């Protein structure tokens, strides 16, 4: 059986295991808490999340990817398992799985101890300027990722004293910074950029960008290239194993050296949507395959 066939088999077995695991878990929940509908739904979402985590941790297929350090295997798994719809009992469940290292982590602009990564800052400012966004936007991000600073570049915390300031904790947190920029500086240009394809906030300031999954927006920001070149590099994902395999010119290599990058970062971005009648839950978390650990959970119910 070829590698694509193996990857497809892994995906089929993975989906079957999810369905069986969740179905068994929900059978007991239905008996235990059917009397209170809302509590039942909340309990169900917890059971589903826990069961998916248990399945991820016990997956021999995922273990094999780590043991082989398989760039191609991980790419094929994510390609085949990107979207998994399930319908169990009266619940509709959809799960999206992608790389958690496809985007740039804005928290890496600073190490948290007042040491700013100026080369990254310059690259981001250049990207924003290219899209007609003021450098003040990057200054706002810097204010929020540098908790040890004794002075700020903007009035962000004067106008939002309750805002969490140790790091950018989530996409919701980032949206608040975007809203502040838009309202304070009367500039809607930031809304024209697909920031969900550019940024992925993680408290871990040592994250690296996996070049096999880097979006075209990230390539454009890292290298300062045009959109055509960035899209070409993004489409080449899955076949990158080292610097030479990227096919970069010397100027592009120099630009890339400003960032921490990798060719194999086995960390998954898991998005769950659970719907029951008029109730819905959106759950997102990272899953570190190597360390078998779920991280950075966010819930919206």
């Amino acid at each position: 059986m070829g590698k694509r066939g193996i990857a497809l088999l892994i995906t089929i077995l993975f989906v079957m295991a999810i369905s069986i695991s969740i179905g068994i878990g929900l059978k007991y929940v239905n008996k235990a808490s059917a009397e209170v509908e809302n509590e039942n739904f909340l309990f169900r979402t917890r059971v589903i999340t826990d069961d998916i985590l248990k399945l991820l941790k016990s997956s021999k297929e995922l273990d094999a990817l780590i043991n082989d350090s398989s760039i191609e295997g991980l790419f094929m798994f994510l390609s085949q398992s990107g979207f998994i719809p399930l319908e169990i009992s009266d619940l509709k469940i959809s799960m999206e799985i992608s790389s958690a290292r496809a985007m740039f982590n804005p928290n890496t602009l600073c190490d948290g101890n007042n040491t700013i990564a100026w080369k990254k800052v310059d690259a981001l400012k250049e990207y924003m300027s290219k899209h007609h966004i003021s450098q003040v936007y990057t200054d706002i991000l810097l204010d929020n990722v540098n908790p040890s600073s004794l002075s700020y570049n903007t009035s962000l915390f004067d106008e939002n004293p309750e805002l969490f300031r140790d790091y950018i904790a989530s996409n919701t947190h980032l949206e608040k910074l975007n809203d502040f920029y838009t309202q304070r500086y009367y500039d809607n240009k930031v809304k024209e950029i697909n920031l969900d394809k550019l940024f992925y906030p993680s408290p871990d300031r040592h994250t690296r960008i996996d070049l096999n999954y880097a979006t075209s927006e990230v390539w454009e920001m890292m290298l300062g290239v045009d959109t055509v070149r960035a899209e070409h590099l993004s489409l080449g994902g899955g076949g990158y194993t080292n610097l030479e395999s990227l096919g970069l010119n010397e100027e592009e290599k120099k630009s890339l050296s400003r960032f921490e990058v990798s060719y194999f970062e086995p960390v998954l971005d898991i998005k769950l949507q659970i719907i029951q009648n008029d109730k819905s839950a959106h759950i997102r978390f990272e899953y570190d395959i190597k360390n078998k650990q779920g991280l950075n959970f966010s819930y919206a119910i």
Side-chain angles (χ1 to χ4, degrees):
M1 183 181 295
K3 291 184 177 179
R4 290 182 179 273
I6 293 172
L8 179 58
L9 179 60
I10 289 174
T11 302
I12 292 172
L13 293 174
F14 188 72
V15 173
M16 289 176 61
I18 289 173
S19 301
I20 294 170
S21 178
I22 292 174
I24 292 172
L26 289 179
K27 179 178 70 175
Y28 294 104
V29 174
N30 290 337
K31 294 179 179 178
S33 56
E35 68 278 6
V36 183
E37 189 175 348
N38 286 335
E39 289 185 8
N40 185 30
F41 179 69
L42 292 174
F43 193 23
R44 283 177 153 195
T45 61
R46 176 62 183 271
V47 168
I48 290 169
T49 305
D50 287 349
D51 283 348
I52 288 175
L53 265 175
K54 290 175 184 176
L55 176 64
L56 290 168
K57 291 179 179 180
S58 63
S59 172
K60 292 182 173 58
E61 292 78 19
L62 294 182
D63 289 344
L65 294 178
I66 294 298
N67 294 335
D68 297 338
S69 297
S70 177
I71 293 174
E72 184 179 0
L74 179 60
F75 186 82
M76 291 300 298
F77 172 75
L78 289 175
S79 298
Q80 299 286 349
S81 309
F83 180 76
I84 301 174
L86 302 167
E87 192 160 346
I88 301 173
S89 184
D90 57 344
L91 292 177
K92 292 182 179 179
I93 305 167
S94 63
M95 181 165 66
E96 293 182 51
I97 307 177
S98 58
S99 170
R101 299 294 178 257
M103 278 79 79
F104 173 66
N105 181 4
N107 291 310
T108 63
L109 291 172
C110 179
D111 67 358
N113 294 310
N114 210 23
T115 300
I116 297 173
W118 288 111
K119 291 182 179 180
K120 293 180 188 176
V121 172
D122 290 342
L124 183 56
K125 285 188 174 182
E126 290 167 8
Y127 176 84
M128 292 298 173
S129 179
K130 180 180 175 181
H131 291 274
H132 311 291
I133 297 170
S134 170
Q135 294 187 357
V136 173
Y137 178 78
T138 305
D139 290 336
I140 292 171
L141 299 183
L142 277 176
D143 281 349
N144 211 149
V145 303
N146 190 9
S148 62
S149 176
L150 298 178
S151 62
Y152 294 108
N153 300 296
T154 69
S155 59
L156 174 65
F157 294 116
D158 292 334
E159 299 181 33
N160 300 273
E162 79 292 345
L163 191 66
F164 181 71
R165 60 184 69 188
D166 285 357
Y167 51 83
I168 300 173
S170 65
N171 284 329
T172 301
H173 187 171
L174 182 61
E175 287 173 8
K176 292 181 180 179
L177 303 184
N178 297 339
D179 290 341
F180 170 75
Y181 172 78
T182 299
Q183 296 165 13
R184 179 68 175 77
Y185 297 96
Y186 308 102
D187 186 357
N188 289 315
K189 289 290 184 181
V190 73
K191 294 184 178 180
E192 297 177 10
I193 297 178
N194 190 346
L195 293 179
D196 286 338
K197 295 290 187 180
L198 180 65
F199 293 137
Y200 181 80
S202 171
D204 182 358
R205 295 179 186 267
H206 299 97
T207 59
R208 299 185 293 180
I209 299 169
D210 190 329
L211 298 183
N212 279 298
Y213 304 96
T215 64
S216 59
E217 289 83 356
V218 171
W219 278 112
E220 184 180 343
M221 187 269 291
M222 290 191 299
L223 304 187
V225 295
D226 60 29
T227 54
V228 174
R229 175 62 170 154
E231 288 172 2
H232 174 76
L233 288 165
S234 180
L235 289 172
Y240 299 142
T241 56
N242 52 42
L243 182 61
E244 294 309 314
S245 67
L246 298 172
L248 305 182
N249 60 39
E250 291 306 314
E251 185 177 348
E252 290 171 341
K253 289 179 182 178
K254 183 178 179 181
S255 296
L256 184 65
S257 68
R258 298 176 293 183
F259 296 85
E260 291 80 30
V261 299
S262 173
Y263 304 92
F264 183 67
E265 291 293 302
V267 184
L268 306 180
D269 179 15
I270 309 287
K271 297 177 185 175
L272 289 174
Q273 183 181 47
I274 304 169
I275 299 174
Q276 180 188 31
N277 299 325
D278 60 340
K279 293 179 285 296
S280 65
H282 298 266
I283 303 161
R284 186 176 186 178
F285 63 93
E286 292 181 23
Y287 181 72
D288 184 332
I289 300 175
K290 182 178 181 180
N291 295 311
K292 297 191 174 189
Q293 186 176 15
L295 305 162
N296 306 325
F297 288 81
S298 65
Y299 296 83
I301 298 176

